[in-house]
């Protein structure tokens, strides 16, 4: 049993330790007897989107992201049909901007994006940062992480998280993330899966159920990850946790 | 008005000093009274600014010692603040009431994000940029923002002194019409063929093809060229060469290093090249100063804790290059080792608890067989543990102490071989305080 995972633009969209996500996913898939193969591809490569079970893209600087966008637009149709056909996508940080309709730059000029979703993003003159505590319908435990971005998102009708603390789509927004079929995107940066073991396990199980429905699940290797997650929440988000309950 | 502001704030500075308050406050007040105060000073013939993600304080200290040893008087802000008001305070302290700086040389350490605020008003004769890498991104934004802030404010009158081995830094020279001098280190036996984690510049800024790295010293620092020859490590006239005994040779001069840390060679080379091109000190005198003066390294110190010998490596969280240098250093030492990792706050600068930077630190190197044990300490002990787990460390070697208060006994009881304490400022303060108490 094999999974082919593409880490796209691994060498240029790598601001926040993104590789941690794939290390964690790889390790957990292995506990289930799956052999994950990670393909590192970037702007010098031809990319065959249809070959992969999961596509991962992380955050970069604005200059690098625009550089990537022009490369990614070559694969627009392939990406749209992959999302429709249920290929898994994990998108973290500002890489999410690629998947909306358009990107309004600081000087008000517009960049056309992939148009997989109806949202649009606008660059702000300042960066917005915050620690985050989100909840999610398909998870029992809260999702924690960090936002550090210079864009805000409007007209997103496919959100995934409820914001209890954090920037969300824009300052003081109630919702965040993009979810449709097997597309999971969030403005949370960096090692989102490492910090949220339940989300990691959920994603691994969904991927396995989709491709190998007969697999009997084995215990995952998440004891330490859960301890780190729970201790962090107890230390810094205990008030939010009580409100939840 | 100018004279009044300078006079008033100079008096204030004296008074504050009497109360033991040397600070950037006089600078702040002077700036409030006269927003353009910085361009009111008459600078000496040699005014040097030093910036970079790491090495600022060390290079400034090295330059001060070279010039002082050669008989010059030097003004320097490394004991104070390296922000705009710290620079103003430095100038106030060293000038006459008319604003004429009295020292022969000024060595100004400058925070990367404050270059624009200072250069708007005054340009140095020499500007050393040692490196730029991902650093406190929650506070600074990312490295492109820092790069632009510096690059936009360099005028052609400035003689740039650049680290040729950092492609982001070499990129600053591309459109510079003024003078440029480089320092750099030739490939060494410690150089690696593969990158040690994520790079901050991996594509040619001119043709956008992937850069080929011939070797890496650490981080983004090494030898590189573009396949189309649009952008390659420049020729370094005063290139440093590492010798087998840990010393290095630059410009025919052999320089001893106190610790065999590669980053220290960059700091010393930056000092050497700057002093030389400033024309004020002979090469032999520079070499003498570098060899015979005790350079205090802020970042490395050794201690005895009971029977345990410990090396403290001050490593900034949130600045992977600093952390990676410490880990590299540990791996290059001989003998059995125990590594202590930990922190209770991410930063003493701001209250933010982002831990994504840990995934840009090359903890994978701790797989080294010489490492017998890894001790995770402090509030983030388990988060560090998870990072180690995904770095494929043998988790049998890892232990946790969430409460770091009994630090000295944790170290004494858990060390096999030599102890390496990889601590940021908060743990370092705690450690130093406990060590002092012990002496009493």
């Amino acid at each position: 049993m094999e999974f082919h995972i593409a880490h796209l633009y691994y060498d240029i969209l790598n601001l926040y330790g993104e590789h941690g996500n794939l290390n964690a996913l790889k390790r957990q898939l292995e506990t289930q007897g799956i052999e994950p193969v990670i393909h590192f591809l970037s702007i010098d490569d031809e990319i065959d989107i249809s070959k992969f079970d999961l596509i991962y893209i992380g955050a970069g600087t604005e200059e690098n992201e625009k550089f990537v966008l022009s490369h990614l637009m070559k694969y627009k149709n392939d990406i749209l049909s992959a999302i429709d056909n249920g290929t898994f996508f994990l998108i973290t940080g500002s890489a999410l901007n690629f998947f909306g309709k358009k990107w309004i730059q600081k000087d008000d000029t517009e960049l056309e994006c992939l148009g997989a979703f109806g949202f649009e993003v606008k660059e702000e003159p300042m960066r917005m940062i915050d620690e985050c505590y989100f909840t999610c319908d398909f998870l029992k435990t809260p999702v924690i992480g960090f936002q550090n971005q210079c864009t805000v998102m409007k007209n997103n009708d496919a959100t995934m998280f409820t914001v209890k603390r954090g920037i969300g789509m824009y300052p003081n927004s109630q919702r965040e993330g993009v979810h449709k079929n097997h597309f999971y995107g969030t403005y949370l940066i960096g090692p989102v899966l490492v910090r949220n073991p339940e989300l990691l396990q959920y994603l691994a199980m969904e991927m396995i159920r989709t491709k190998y429905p007969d697999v009997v699940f084995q215990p995952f290797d998440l004891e330490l990850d859960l301890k780190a997650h729970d201790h962090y929440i107890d230390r810094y988000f205990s008030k939010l946790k009580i409100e939840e309950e | 008005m100018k004279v009044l502001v300078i006079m008033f704030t100079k008096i204030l500075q004296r008074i504050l000093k009497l109360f033991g308050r040397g600070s950037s406050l006089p600078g702040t007040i002077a700036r409030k009274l006269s927003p353009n105060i910085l361009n009111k000073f008459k600078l000496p013939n040699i005014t040097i600014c030093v910036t970079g993600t790491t090495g600022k304080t060390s290079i400034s200290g090295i330059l001060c010692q070279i010039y002082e040893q050669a008989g010059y008087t030097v003004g320097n802000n490394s004991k104070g603040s390296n922000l705009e008001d710290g620079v103003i305070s430095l100038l106030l302290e060293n000038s006459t009431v008319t604003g004429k700086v009295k020292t022969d040389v000024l060595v100004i350490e400058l925070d990367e994000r404050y270059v624009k605020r200072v250069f708007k008003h005054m340009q140095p004769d020499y500007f050393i940029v040692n490196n730029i890498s991902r650093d406190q991104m929650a506070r600074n934004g990312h490295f492109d923002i820092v790069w632009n802030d510096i690059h936009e404010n360099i005028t052609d009158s400035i003689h740039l002194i650049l680290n040729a081995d950092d492609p982001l830094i070499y990129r600053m020279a591309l459109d510079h019409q003024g003078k440029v001098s480089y320092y750099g280190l030739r490939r060494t036996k410690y150089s690696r063929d593969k990158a040690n984690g994520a790079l901050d510049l991996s594509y040619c800024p001119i043709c956008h093809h992937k850069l080929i790295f011939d070797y890496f010293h650490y981080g983004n620092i090494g030898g590189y060229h573009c396949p189309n020859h649009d952008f390659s490590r420049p020729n370094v006239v005063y290139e440093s060469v590492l010798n087998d005994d840990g010393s290095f040779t630059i410009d025919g001069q052999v320089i001893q290093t106190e610790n065999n840390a590669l980053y220290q060679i960059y700091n010393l080379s930056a000092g050497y090249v700057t002093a030389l091109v400033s024309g004020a000190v002979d090469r032999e005198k520079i070499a003498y100063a570098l060899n015979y003066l005790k350079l205090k390294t802020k970042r490395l110190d050794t201690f005895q804790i009971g029977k345990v010998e410990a090396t403290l490596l001050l490593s900034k969280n949130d600045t992977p290059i600093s952390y990676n240098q410490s880990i590299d250093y540990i791996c290059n030492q001989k003998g059995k080792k125990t590594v202590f990792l930990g922190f209770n706050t991410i930063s003493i600068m701001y209250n933010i608890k982002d831990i994504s930077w840990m995934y840009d630190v090359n903890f994978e190197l701790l797989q080294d067989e010489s490492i017998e044990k890894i001790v995770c300490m402090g509030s983030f002990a388990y988060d560090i543990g998870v990072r180690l787990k995904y770095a494929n460390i043998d988790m049998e070697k890892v232990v946790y102490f969430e409460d770091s208060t009994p630090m000295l006994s944790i170290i004494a009881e858990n060390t096999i071989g030599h102890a390496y304490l990889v601590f940021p400022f908060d743990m370092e303060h705690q450690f130093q305080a406990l060590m002092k108490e012990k002496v009493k």
Side-chain angles (χ1 to χ4, degrees):
Chain A
M1 291 185 291
E2 257 184 16
F3 269 119
H4 288 274
I5 297 173
H7 187 175
L8 296 190
Y9 312 109
Y10 68 99
D11 56 352
I12 189 164
L13 302 185
N14 58 3
L15 264 187
Y16 302 110
E18 278 80 0
H19 69 90
N21 286 318
L22 294 189
N23 286 353
L25 185 60
K26 184 168 181 275
R27 171 79 69 101
Q28 300 310 328
L29 289 171
E30 281 165 355
T31 62
Q32 307 305 310
I34 308 273
E35 200 186 314
V37 185
I38 301 180
H39 302 259
F40 295 95
L41 296 163
S42 195
I43 44 180
D44 282 350
D45 300 307
E46 284 297 317
I47 301 169
D48 184 351
I49 300 286
S50 68
K51 265 181 154 175
F52 304 108
D53 300 295
L54 173 89
I55 307 273
Y56 177 59
I57 312 180
T61 68
E62 290 76 71
E63 185 185 331
N64 286 343
E65 281 174 352
K66 285 159 197 175
F67 190 26
V68 162
L69 179 60
S70 59
H71 188 256
L72 204 53
M73 286 300 279
K74 289 201 287 189
Y75 304 104
K76 181 177 171 173
N77 293 334
D78 300 349
I79 291 168
L80 298 187
S81 45
I83 295 172
D84 283 342
N85 295 336
T87 301
F88 281 83
F89 281 77
L90 176 65
I91 309 296
T92 61
S94 44
L96 194 50
N97 293 342
F98 299 141
F99 293 86
K101 262 201 212 146
K102 63 180 178 189
W103 181 329
I104 304 163
Q105 303 187 86
K106 260 183 210 156
D107 62 4
D108 282 335
T109 54
E110 294 181 2
L111 295 172
E112 189 198 336
C113 296
L114 294 167
F117 301 94
F119 65 81
E120 50 193 66
V121 299
K122 188 173 182 308
E123 250 172 70
E124 298 289 337
M126 75 297 187
R127 290 191 83 81
M128 291 151 275
I129 60 164
D130 203 4
E131 283 152 50
C132 303
Y133 183 102
F134 298 163
T135 56
C136 172
D137 295 340
F138 53 82
L139 300 175
K140 288 191 205 81
T141 57
V143 169
I144 54 172
F146 201 77
Q147 282 180 265
N148 185 344
Q149 67 204 51
C150 70
T151 53
V152 291
M153 181 183 283
K154 291 278 161 69
N155 304 323
N156 174 8
D157 56 9
T159 57
M160 171 161 62
F161 298 128
T162 298
V163 179
K164 301 283 179 183
R165 159 89 192 253
I167 310 285
M169 293 187 285
Y170 47 86
N172 300 316
S173 56
Q174 306 295 307
R175 299 279 296 169
E176 202 280 324
V178 178
H179 180 211
K180 179 189 164 188
N181 298 342
H182 292 143
F183 184 102
Y184 299 87
T186 174
Y187 266 153
L188 292 176
I189 59 167
V192 179
L193 295 185
V194 181
R195 299 200 63 194
N196 296 287
E198 196 197 345
L199 179 63
L200 170 57
Q201 181 174 333
Y202 175 86
L203 186 68
M205 287 173 81
E206 283 294 297
M207 286 176 71
I208 295 168
R209 277 195 196 109
T210 305
K211 194 167 178 181
Y212 304 110
D214 300 331
V215 164
V216 178
F217 288 107
Q218 304 298 316
F220 285 83
D221 169 23
L222 289 168
E223 198 187 328
L224 189 61
D225 311 40
L226 284 165
K227 212 165 176 178
H229 176 267
D230 295 348
H231 280 231
Y232 190 92
I233 289 176
D234 286 344
R235 230 173 27 247
Y236 300 117
F237 288 129
S238 50
K239 226 174 134 192
L240 284 171
K241 193 181 158 193
I242 293 161
E243 279 171 23
E244 271 310 288
E245 284 159 2
Chain B
M1 179 64 186
K2 171 190 93 174
V3 175
L4 282 176
V5 171
I6 293 177
M7 207 183 329
F8 170 67
T9 43
K10 275 178 77 73
I11 293 168
L12 181 75
Q13 201 164 35
R14 288 268 170 86
I15 297 169
L16 284 168
K17 269 214 170 143
L18 282 178
F19 291 97
R21 295 275 302 274
S23 75
S24 58
L25 186 60
T28 309
I29 292 167
R31 182 173 52 82
K32 291 260 163 73
L33 292 171
S34 172
N36 293 326
I37 188 80
L38 259 182
N39 57 24
K40 306 284 195 277
F41 291 95
K42 184 169 183 320
L43 302 175
N45 287 335
I46 301 177
T47 299
I48 303 165
C49 285
V50 188
T51 197
T53 304
T54 63
K56 297 182 282 283
T57 309
S58 296
I59 294 171
S60 301
I62 288 163
L63 281 167
C64 290
Q65 301 210 42
I66 295 172
Y67 285 109
E68 278 167 4
Q69 178 72 13
Y72 295 97
T73 54
V74 184
N76 170 246
N77 62 330
S78 287
K79 287 202 186 85
S81 144
N82 63 6
L83 310 183
E84 185 185 10
D85 295 346
V87 177
I88 299 171
S89 290
L90 164 73
L91 295 177
L92 285 171
E93 198 178 339
N94 290 290
S95 63
T96 64
V97 285
T98 59
K100 185 179 181 310
V101 175
K102 291 180 285 187
T103 59
D104 304 318
V105 180
L106 271 180
V107 177
I108 303 172
E109 175 186 333
L110 204 48
D111 183 277
E112 306 88 276
R113 295 306 301 276
Y114 283 79
V115 169
K116 60 178 172 191
R117 304 258 291 261
V118 170
F119 282 22
K120 200 167 82 184
H121 299 292
M122 57 160 270
Q123 285 80 42
D125 303 297
Y126 304 95
F127 183 32
I128 304 171
V129 194
N130 193 39
N131 51 42
I132 294 177
S133 71
R134 49 194 67 206
D135 171 36
Q136 305 176 62
M137 288 198 281
R139 167 179 168 245
N140 288 342
H142 50 66
F143 42 83
D144 274 2
I145 297 173
V146 176
W147 192 91
N148 282 322
D149 274 355
I150 297 175
H151 176 251
E152 280 168 12
N153 291 286
I154 296 173
T155 56
D156 288 338
S157 65
I158 298 174
H159 185 152
L160 293 176
I161 316 275
L162 303 179
N163 182 348
D165 296 348
D166 185 340
L168 268 171
I169 300 303
Y170 171 53
R171 191 182 178 187
M172 291 200 175
L174 295 183
D175 59 355
H176 186 64
Q177 303 295 321
K179 287 185 185 165
V180 186
S181 301
Y182 297 104
Y183 56 97
L185 175 64
R186 194 176 292 170
R187 188 182 192 127
T188 75
K189 62 177 175 182
Y190 301 115
S191 305
R192 297 168 205 273
D193 294 326
K194 277 194 181 160
N196 237 345
L199 298 179
D200 299 334
L201 185 71
S202 46
Y203 285 81
C204 170
I206 297 166
C207 71
H208 298 319
H209 278 86
K210 190 153 182 161
L211 286 178
I212 297 165
F213 279 84
D214 307 300
Y215 54 89
F216 292 96
H217 291 312
Y218 51 82
N220 231 143
I221 313 277
Y224 51 90
H225 69 272
C226 150
N228 298 330
H229 306 289
D230 289 322
F231 181 82
S232 306
R233 178 183 186 257
N235 178 41
V236 182
V237 178
Y238 304 111
E239 188 179 47
S240 299
V241 180
L242 182 68
N243 302 321
D244 282 340
D245 63 355
S247 68
F248 72 100
T249 305
I250 181 169
D251 192 26
Q253 309 292 324
V254 177
I255 314 288
Q256 306 296 330
T257 56
E258 234 185 307
N259 52 65
N260 50 358
L262 291 181
Y263 59 79
Q264 187 67 355
I265 297 182
Y266 281 97
N267 299 339
L268 293 163
S269 302
Y272 185 94
V273 172
T274 309
L276 190 71
V277 300
S278 75
V281 193
D282 298 339
R283 38 176 54 81
E284 289 76 16
K285 278 194 177 159
I286 302 174
Y288 176 84
L290 295 182
N291 272 323
Y292 294 96
L293 293 176
K294 188 88 181 144
L295 293 167
K296 279 188 201 119
T297 43
K298 203 173 67 173
R299 292 181 44 195
L300 208 145
D301 218 343
T302 51
F303 299 87
Q304 190 77 35
I305 304 159
K307 283 180 184 157
V308 173
E309 270 182 52
T311 301
L312 173 66
L313 296 146
L314 184 59
S315 314
K316 281 193 268 177
N317 279 345
D318 215 355
T319 307
I321 190 173
S322 155
Y323 222 100
N324 277 333
Q325 283 167 350
S326 299
I327 291 179
D328 250 351
Y329 177 85
I330 294 169
C331 292
N332 289 341
Q333 306 309 306
K334 295 194 175 77
K336 290 183 178 177
K337 301 154 193 168
T338 299
V339 180
F340 293 81
L341 306 169
F343 44 92
N344 289 308
T345 51
I346 303 283
S347 169
I348 54 169
M349 302 282 287
Y350 51 86
N351 179 25
I352 286 291
K353 295 174 266 299
D354 179 28
I355 56 170
S356 59
W357 59 271
M358 282 206 296
Y359 288 81
D360 274 330
V361 173
N362 207 2
F363 287 108
E364 280 76 2
L365 287 178
L366 296 179
Q367 292 164 14
D368 200 289
E369 271 179 19
S370 67
I371 293 163
E372 300 276 330
K373 198 169 181 180
I374 303 175
V375 181
C376 305
M377 293 160 77
S379 308
F380 295 84
Y382 294 113
D383 293 291
I384 299 169
V386 174
R387 174 67 190 98
L388 295 174
K389 169 180 146 183
Y390 289 119
N392 292 321
I393 303 294
D394 174 3
M395 296 307 281
E396 298 281 312
K397 292 181 181 176
V398 182
V399 294
Y400 308 92
F401 293 91
E402 266 193 290
D403 179 7
S404 65
T405 325
M407 191 184 272
L408 297 186
S409 58
I410 294 174
I411 296 167
E413 286 159 23
N414 285 281
T415 301
I416 305 168
H418 190 98
Y420 291 92
L421 317 176
V422 184
F423 289 166
F425 292 112
D426 70 334
M427 284 274 198
E428 188 244 3
H429 287 330
Q430 193 188 337
F431 175 76
Q432 300 276 21
L434 288 169
M435 287 304 287
K436 255 188 208 157
E437 219 169 86
K438 210 182 96 187
V439 174
K440 278 179 196 168

